[in-house]
């Protein structure tokens, strides 16, 4: 157990040093949420008081973009240069290994969410936000997005494929999760797709916590996103077992 | 360089492979092979590209699942549970797979951490290994900037940081310069002297002959022969060998050659090359004359000292220089 924890912690530390805390990533983590906030704000054409209504969307997108591609790219990169095999050879369970690999991305994604929150704090009053709901929601969106990144990483073999495949999931997700258009305003045949996306539930939780305009019961939202996290993790583990230890 | 096999306290083999088979679609990469690896020995696994060496190693270390057969490591059945013995093994792959963005020292410490070593223990061990492998001065340089020889040495150090009982070395001297290859061979011997059991695959037959206690030849997924180096070489002791190159097609007169020189063995490896073996001195003049009478000129003839290469040729039917060519090709592609 102790040895497993030492391995887990050091994999997280190594990934932080080697990938996540590199200057380009830190600057991306800062610029990206600022750009999204600015874009939403200019588009709305209103005053600072509307920032809380933009906040759930910006948080969700920052986390989604900060996690999916990073994990997909780093795992694919390590798989490509065979250093991932070194990890597979370590006497730790596959669950421990993948938890370690995903923890860095979850942490990085969660930190990305803090940037728009700090911006909002500086520009307007957000004292009414229910942080006890926002923080677990940010964490769960980061977990779901990271596990989606893991799912992508297992499905591709080249780094550029990881990027392309990430976008294949991310862009439809942004448009279908209720960020830009309410789900009820989408064509009937697209609505079931919206409810098959983890981000839909994450965004709904954030809306509920920030503006009180959630469309589903928060309990259902939490249940759904936890379900997606678990399913994506175990599907990825099964795929790793099938494809990488063959 | 070779030394006595260390006496094991346990008669049970360290690795026991029984009827191991692995298929990829219609291709049987490893076909019902069985062998054992004894405690304290260097076991060579030789064969050309595509013979099944890497697939076998991947199954032994837990990166691939066998379709049938069993693998026991230190008495533990690892066939269905490869994790059961991964703490006992170290792996040095043919291509260095450490992290280019980490320093040599950090790479070693990280590899130690993967095996649950405490911080103090892995720092101490990493420093010791860097010193042993002559890499202390490069310890704080990024691995990505190392030369091929340095990379190979650090990869070996990473493979033994947790003091494994068994070390898998895949092509340890391929792709590095002569001096580094020599150092690596010395390190392998020294590791074995200190008690590490080694499973070695190589394209260089002379490396296997110099280093290994036992050798297994694998061809097309099947083991052609496994025996000690001494026993493998035994039939060649006292044999005289000559390699002859000619300008015509020797194959056309192979029957006449055999009938005219019944005390010689002719192994015609290509239309223009043959290998002559005998239990006494070979009279080249007679052979040259005979070939000339059949319109074939001898362009080159040289004596050859019987070696493991000859054993390889006689057992596998494959020209030994094919392995060298494969190794050279690999070196150039790196």
């Amino acid at each position: 157990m102790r040895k497993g924890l030492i391995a887990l912690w050091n994999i997280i530390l190594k990934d932080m040093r080697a990938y996540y805390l590199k200057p380009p990533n830190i600057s991306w983590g800062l610029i990206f949420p600022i750009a999204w906030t600015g874009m939403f704000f200019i588009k709305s054409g209103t005053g600072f008081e509307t920032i809380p209504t933009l906040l759930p969307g910006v948080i969700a997108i920052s986390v989604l973009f900060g996690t999916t591609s990073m994990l997909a790219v780093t795992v694919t990169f390590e798989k490509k240069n065979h250093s991932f095999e070194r990890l597979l050879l370590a006497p730790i369970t596959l669950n421990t290994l993948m938890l370690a690999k995903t923890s860095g991305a979850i942490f990085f994604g969660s930190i990305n969410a803090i940037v728009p929150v700090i911006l909002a704090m500086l520009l307007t009053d957000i004292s009414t936000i229910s942080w006890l709901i926002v923080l677990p929601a940010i964490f769960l969106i980061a977990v779901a997005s990271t596990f989606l990144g893991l799912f992508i990483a297992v499905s591709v073999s080249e780094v550029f494929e990881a990027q392309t495949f990430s976008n294949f999931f991310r862009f439809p997700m942004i448009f279908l999760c209720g960020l830009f258009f309410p789900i009820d305003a989408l064509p009937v045949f697209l609505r079931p797709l919206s409810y098959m996306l983890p981000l839909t539930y994450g965004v709904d939780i954030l809306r509920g916590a920030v503006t009180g305009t959630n469309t589903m019961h928060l309990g259902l939202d939490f249940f759904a996103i936890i379900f997606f996290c678990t399913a994506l993790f175990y599907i990825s583990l099964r795929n790793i077992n099938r494809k990488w230890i063959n | 360089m070779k030394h006595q096999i260390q006496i094991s306290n346990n008669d049970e083999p360290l690795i026991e492979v029984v009827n191991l088979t692995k298929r990829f679609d219609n291709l049987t990469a490893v076909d019902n092979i069985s062998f054992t690896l004894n405690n304290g020995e260097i076991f060579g696994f030789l064969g050309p590209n595509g013979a099944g060496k890497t697939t076998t190693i991947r199954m032994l270390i837990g990166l691939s699942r066998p379709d049938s057969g069993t693998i026991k490591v230190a008495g533990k059945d690892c066939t269905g549970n490869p994790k059961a013995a991964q703490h006992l093994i170290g792996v040095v792959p043919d291509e260095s797979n450490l992290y280019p963005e980490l320093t040599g020292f950090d790479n070693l410490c990280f590899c130690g951490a993967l095996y649950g070593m405490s911080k103090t223990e892995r720092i101490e061990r990493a420093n010791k290994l860097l010193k042993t492998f002559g890499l202390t001065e490069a310890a704080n340089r990024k691995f990505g900037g190392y030369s091929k020889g340095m990379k190979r040495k650090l990869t070996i150090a990473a493979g033994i940081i947790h003091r494994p009982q068994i070390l898998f070395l895949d092509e340890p001297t391929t792709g590095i310069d002569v001096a580094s290859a020599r150092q690596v061979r010395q390190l392998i011997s020294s590791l074995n002297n200190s008690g590490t059991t080694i499973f070695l695959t190589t394209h260089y037959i002379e490396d296997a002959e110099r280093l290994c206690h036992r050798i297994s030849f694998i061809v097309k997924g099947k083991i052609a022969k496994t025996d000690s180096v001494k026993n493998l070489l035994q039939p060649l002791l006292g044999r005289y060998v000559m390699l002859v190159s000619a300008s015509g097609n020797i194959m056309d007169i192979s029957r006449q050659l055999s009938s005219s020189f019944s005390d010689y063995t002719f192994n015609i490896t290509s239309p223009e090359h043959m290998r002559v073996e005998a239990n006494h001195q070979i009279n080249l003049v007679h052979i040259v004359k005979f070939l000339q009478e059949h319109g074939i000129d001898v362009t080159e003839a040289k004596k050859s000292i019987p070696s493991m290469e000859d054993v390889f040729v006689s057992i596998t039917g494959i020209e030994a220089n094919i392995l060298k060519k494969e190794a050279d090709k690999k070196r150039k592609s790196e």
Side-chain angles (χ1 to χ4, degrees), chain A:
Chain A
M1 179 70 178
R2 188 178 156 269
K3 289 187 172 188
L5 287 174
I6 290 175
L8 182 135
W9 177 240
N10 279 278
I11 293 170
I12 297 172
L13 282 185
K14 190 273 294 170
D15 281 354
M16 283 292 172
R17 286 175 58 193
Y19 309 119
Y20 299 108
L21 297 182
K22 290 276 181 192
N25 277 324
I26 295 172
S27 54
W28 166 256
L30 289 170
I31 291 167
F32 188 80
I34 293 170
W36 275 101
T37 309
M39 193 190 81
F40 273 110
F41 187 68
I42 292 164
K43 184 181 166 285
S44 69
T46 52
F48 287 142
E49 67 280 1
T50 58
I51 281 182
T53 59
L54 306 176
L55 197 55
V58 180
I59 289 175
I61 291 174
S62 301
V63 176
L64 178 71
F65 276 80
T67 50
T68 42
S69 57
M70 271 307 285
L71 187 79
V73 167
T74 56
V75 171
T76 313
F77 173 72
E78 288 191 356
K79 185 77 182 61
K80 187 82 183 156
N81 71 11
H82 301 290
S83 49
F84 198 83
E85 284 184 356
R86 191 164 281 284
L87 305 178
L88 287 173
L89 288 170
I92 52 173
T93 64
L94 197 56
N95 287 17
T96 308
L97 170 59
M98 295 326 294
L99 277 177
K101 290 302 289 178
T102 50
S103 295
I106 293 168
F107 177 75
F108 182 71
S110 304
I111 295 293
N112 273 7
I114 290 172
V115 178
V117 170
I118 292 171
L119 274 176
M121 272 177 177
L122 294 173
L123 297 171
T124 188
D125 175 25
I126 53 168
S127 59
T128 54
I129 290 176
S130 173
W131 295 107
L132 280 176
I133 297 175
V134 168
L135 294 177
I138 289 174
F139 175 73
L140 286 173
I141 294 171
V143 173
S145 307
T146 301
F147 290 172
L148 177 67
L150 179 61
F151 174 78
I152 292 164
V154 184
S155 310
V156 300
S157 50
E158 299 288 343
V159 175
F160 75 89
E161 286 176 332
Q163 284 283 15
T164 315
F165 205 35
S166 298
N167 289 334
F168 176 78
F169 282 99
R170 283 188 305 204
F171 284 103
M173 209 186 283
I174 291 171
F175 290 107
L176 295 173
C177 75
L179 266 180
F180 291 107
F181 321 101
I183 294 173
D184 290 343
L186 290 171
V188 176
F189 69 94
L190 282 177
R191 282 181 216 166
L193 270 179
S194 296
Y195 292 106
M196 288 162 69
L197 304 171
L199 200 62
T200 303
Y201 304 95
V203 167
D204 201 50
I205 299 172
L206 290 175
R207 281 229 174 90
V210 177
T211 59
T213 56
N214 49 310
T215 56
M216 288 174 278
H217 190 275
L218 285 183
L220 174 70
D221 283 332
F222 273 107
F223 173 79
I225 200 164
I226 290 170
F227 169 79
F228 276 109
C229 293
T230 314
L232 280 168
F233 187 67
Y234 281 99
I235 290 170
S236 301
L237 282 190
R238 195 201 61 181
N239 287 349
I240 290 170
N241 251 312
R242 194 166 51 86
K243 292 177 75 172
W244 292 356
I245 309 172
N246 59 357

Side-chain angles (χ1 to χ4, degrees), chain B residues 20-55:
Chain B
L20 200 65
T21 299
K22 179 72 185 176
R23 292 182 201 90
F24 296 106
D25 299 323
N26 294 326
L27 175 79
T28 305
V30 174
D31 192 0
N32 204 32
I33 65 169
S34 301
F35 63 88
T36 55
L37 183 63
N38 299 320
N39 199 0
E41 74 174 338
I42 303 183
F43 183 85
F45 208 52
L46 259 71
N49 280 349
K53 301 189 298 288
T54 303
T55 307

Side-chain angles (χ1 to χ4, degrees), chain B residues 248-262:
Chain B
N249 191 340
I250 313 170
M251 279 178 175
D252 291 344
I253 55 158
S254 59
R255 276 189 192 167
Q256 292 97 309
L257 267 170
S258 298
S259 55
S260 302
F261 301 93
S262 55

